[in-house]
Amino acid sequence: MNQRYRVCVVESGRDRQLAPQRYEVPSYPCPLTTVGETMAYAALITWFITLLGGLYMLTIWLIERDVGDPAAQASRLPVPVVVTHMLLALAGLAVWVGFLILHRVVLAWTAASMLGLIALLGLTMFARWIPVYREPATPDIAQGLPASHASPPESAFPVAVVIAHGLLAVSTLVLVVLTALAKSGL
């Protein structure tokens, strides 16, 4: 029975490996530090709430976007950007949960890089949404269009939800990067 054993002890917020003295514990990945664990779970919560806000806006966008009506104004948000943003957010959340379960640093950095891509796509959509928000939603009376068709579907997004989604996304990115740094020992 010649197995290697180690014990992880939290000291000053960092993991330190000590040689086993009296009680031997089988080798396993060191858990997150107390501060790192708090940040990791805070990131999970903010990521989930951000995802809910994004799904709410996606629902509004899909309801307002009438592809069968030729008189409806086209969306300024490209479908591939919206779908990629959503799928990366879901996949990134799954990678983050994998990090919380397996405690592998590579998963933390993978989630952080995915969040960077998600943020770039989100900023792209935000930049394309601002002109829609600033334009008044007035129907074109000369063409007899109803008010619902006077503006793109993303004009129906509640401003509070857009702002909260963005702020929570930035918070999530910061928490994930800080957790990855803490887990890496940097």
Side-chain angles (χ1 to χ4, degrees), residues 11-81:
E11 181 175 298
S12 302
R14 295 192 184 244
D15 287 347
R16 199 178 94 196
Q17 296 175 12
L18 299 176
Q21 295 179 6
R22 177 174 266 191
Y23 302 102
E24 295 182 345
V25 179
S27 179
Y28 65 95
C30 290
L32 295 169
T33 63
T34 306
V35 174
E37 187 174 353
T38 303
M39 283 191 300
Y41 286 105
L44 177 68
I45 293 167
T46 58
W47 200 326
F48 187 72
I49 294 170
T50 305
L51 186 68
L52 290 178
L55 289 175
Y56 176 73
M57 288 189 290
L58 177 67
T59 303
I60 291 173
W61 187 70
L62 289 173
I63 290 171
E64 295 289 327
R65 188 173 177 266
D66 189 7
V67 293
D69 187 4
Q73 187 174 358
S75 173
R76 292 191 183 180
L77 303 179
V79 174
V81 174

Side-chain angles (χ1 to χ4, degrees), residues 20-179:
Q21 295 179 6
R22 177 174 266 191
Y23 302 102
E24 295 182 345
V25 179
S27 179
Y28 65 95
C30 290
L32 295 169
T33 63
T34 306
V35 174
E37 187 174 353
T38 303
M39 283 191 300
Y41 286 105
L44 177 68
I45 293 167
T46 58
W47 200 326
F48 187 72
I49 294 170
T50 305
L51 186 68
L52 290 178
L55 289 175
Y56 176 73
M57 288 189 290
L58 177 67
T59 303
I60 291 173
W61 187 70
L62 289 173
I63 290 171
E64 295 289 327
R65 188 173 177 266
D66 189 7
V67 293
D69 187 4
Q73 187 174 358
S75 173
R76 292 191 183 180
L77 303 179
V79 174
V81 174
V82 173
V83 171
T84 304
H85 181 74
M86 178 196 62
L87 291 177
L88 274 175
L90 288 169
L93 182 61
V95 169
W96 189 250
V97 169
F99 163 71
L100 292 174
I101 294 169
L102 301 174
H103 304 290
R104 302 284 186 236
V105 177
V106 69
L107 291 177
W109 286 112
T110 303
S113 62
M114 290 175 83
L115 268 175
L117 293 173
I118 294 164
L120 287 175
L121 292 171
L123 285 172
T124 301
M125 290 189 291
F126 182 71
R128 294 179 69 102
W129 173 78
I130 289 175
V132 172
Y133 167 69
R134 296 185 75 172
E135 290 176 0
T138 56
D140 189 356
I141 298 173
Q143 293 180 357
L145 292 176
S148 63
H149 294 282
S151 57
E154 56 271 13
S155 64
F157 293 164
V159 177
V161 174
V162 173
I163 291 171
H165 183 73
L167 291 176
L168 284 167
V170 169
S171 301
T172 303
L173 181 61
V174 169
L175 287 168
V176 166
V177 169
L178 288 175
T179 303

